[in-house]
Amino acid sequence: MLGAPGSGKGTQAKIMAQKFQLSHVSTGDLFRKNMSEGTPLGLEARSYIDRGALCPDSLTINMLHDFLDNMPEVEGCILDGVPRTTLQAEMLDGIGHAKHLPIHLVINLNVEQDELMKRMLNRAKLEGRSDDTPDIIAKRFENYFAQTKPLEEYYAKKGVLRQINGMDTVENISAEICRVVAAEMK
């Protein structure tokens, strides 16, 4: 699931996971779990996060593979928050990494930037999220456009990218994603 911060990736990933009985894998949740449990990968992640640095792509991919290796057998999973960079996508493809995780479909939620800002500021009020201030939102957009937006081209070239209008209601967006996923599963 791809899209800018505030596009609804997490919401839609949870809905799709339930609807299609897939595992929802959130890298944010993986990082928090590993850090709270003090695993070697969590301790390594904390060493970056505590000094305000981004975790290396290899750490993110290793944490993902560690989780998937220990996960019960499932039909498939929805990745939420990974890949975030072209290097991570290449690593999932087995380029420069020992393991390969095939990506069969990528949903990209398209939402206008003004709407994204409104959603994130509203989310901050409703959920009390400290990472949804105007300054932090601007930095997240900057990171998204520099690092994650290029994934659209990467996955379009592979023929697995599907664009979804994320400017509608949660229900209508879900219905459109379901239509696309069902068509791909045939």
Side-chain angles (χ1 to χ4, degrees), residues 21-184:
Q21 284 119 34
L22 301 169
S23 180
H24 173 224
V25 182
S26 162
T27 51
D29 291 346
L30 289 180
F31 272 91
R32 285 184 286 279
K33 180 180 185 297
N34 277 272
M35 288 187 299
S36 71
E37 293 176 358
T39 68
L41 289 171
L43 293 172
E44 185 179 349
R46 184 170 302 286
S47 74
Y48 289 96
I49 292 168
D50 283 352
R51 63 178 193 262
L54 295 174
C55 292
D57 292 323
S58 59
L59 175 60
T60 301
I61 299 303
N62 287 336
M63 198 175 288
L64 173 65
H65 279 296
D66 182 66
F67 174 79
L68 294 174
D69 288 347
N70 295 299
M71 187 173 80
E73 190 68 29
V74 294
E75 288 296 314
C77 59
I78 297 176
L79 300 179
D80 174 9
V82 66
R84 286 195 186 228
T85 66
T86 303
L87 180 59
Q88 287 179 7
E90 290 170 345
M91 293 171 89
L92 290 175
D93 285 340
I95 300 169
H97 197 273
K99 295 183 179 181
H100 173 245
L101 179 64
I103 304 293
H104 302 290
L105 177 64
V106 176
I107 301 291
N108 187 58
L109 297 175
N110 292 304
V111 180
E112 294 170 9
Q113 196 163 344
D114 289 348
E115 176 65 17
L116 293 168
M117 182 66 82
K118 281 193 275 187
R119 288 181 185 183
M120 293 175 76
L121 292 172
N122 188 47
R123 181 172 73 181
K125 288 178 195 167
L126 294 174
E127 298 175 16
R129 287 187 54 160
S130 62
D131 63 341
D132 283 344
T133 65
D135 289 343
I136 293 174
I137 292 169
K139 183 66 174 167
R140 291 174 69 196
F141 284 149
E142 183 182 315
N143 287 336
Y144 168 77
F145 285 107
Q147 297 178 4
T148 306
K149 182 94 170 133
L151 288 171
E152 289 180 44
E153 183 179 340
Y154 181 86
Y155 285 117
K157 285 180 181 176
K158 293 178 143 303
V160 297
L161 181 71
R162 303 297 178 270
Q163 300 285 356
I164 300 290
N165 177 3
M167 295 288 291
D168 210 333
T169 65
V170 170
E171 296 78 18
N172 287 346
I173 295 166
S174 296
E176 180 61 15
I177 294 171
C178 284
R179 186 189 66 71
V180 169
V181 171
E184 293 295 325

Side-chain angles (χ1 to χ4, degrees), residues 3-22:
S7 64
K9 296 180 302 293
T11 298
Q12 293 300 332
K14 288 174 189 167
I15 292 169
M16 293 305 108
Q18 185 175 8
K19 173 122 179 110
F20 293 101
Q21 284 119 34
L22 301 169

